[in-house]
Amino acid sequence: MKNYILVFVALATIFTFSCKKSSSHIVKYSIQGTAKSSVTYTDQNGNLQTVANADASWTTSFSSTDHGETLKLTATSVDGSNVGGKIFIDGNQIAQSNGNSSSIIISTILQ
């Protein structure tokens, strides 16, 4: 009986430490400006999504475990005014554009 318990403990230990644990990250995109914008961003599945006439302080967020995914945010103001944007991962600002033009393109890799 002791041998079975030892085998069980050994297998449980191997299984526990050999399983790769995927960590989830919260991704947040935000834009800032004075006018509505057309926004395109990479979603949690790696697909591009488009939002027409997004408010000047538009944000969206999602959870992702897809490490290595390229996160991309583009925005173009509808009236030509300046627009800025930021990408956050787990609450930390990772990429930004300060809003010195009417359109932005920013990207980063989800680590």
Side-chain angles (χ1 to χ4, degrees), residues 5-104:
I5 293 173
L6 288 175
V7 169
F8 175 75
V9 170
L11 289 175
T13 302
I14 290 169
F15 179 74
T16 300
F17 291 106
S18 67
C19 289
K20 183 178 178 184
K21 295 184 169 109
S22 63
S23 59
S24 180
H25 295 285
I26 302 298
V27 175
K28 177 182 174 184
Y29 297 112
S30 70
I31 61 165
Q32 308 80 39
T34 58
K36 292 188 180 280
S37 296
S38 174
V39 177
T40 302
Y41 65 94
T42 309
D43 69 10
Q44 66 271 19
N45 298 314
N47 300 317
L48 290 178
Q49 301 296 324
T50 301
V51 179
N53 293 315
D55 289 332
S57 60
W58 174 90
T59 64
T60 191
S61 60
F62 57 86
S63 177
S64 179
T65 57
D66 191 3
H67 302 282
E69 177 182 2
T70 299
L71 303 172
K72 185 174 180 182
L73 172 65
T74 66
T76 303
S77 70
V78 296
D79 70 355
S81 62
N82 290 346
V83 63
K86 297 176 183 175
I87 300 175
F88 298 85
I89 299 175
D90 297 330
N92 299 309
Q93 181 179 309
I94 303 300
Q96 75 172 16
S97 176
N98 291 328
N100 297 327
S101 67
S102 62
S103 64
I104 60 163

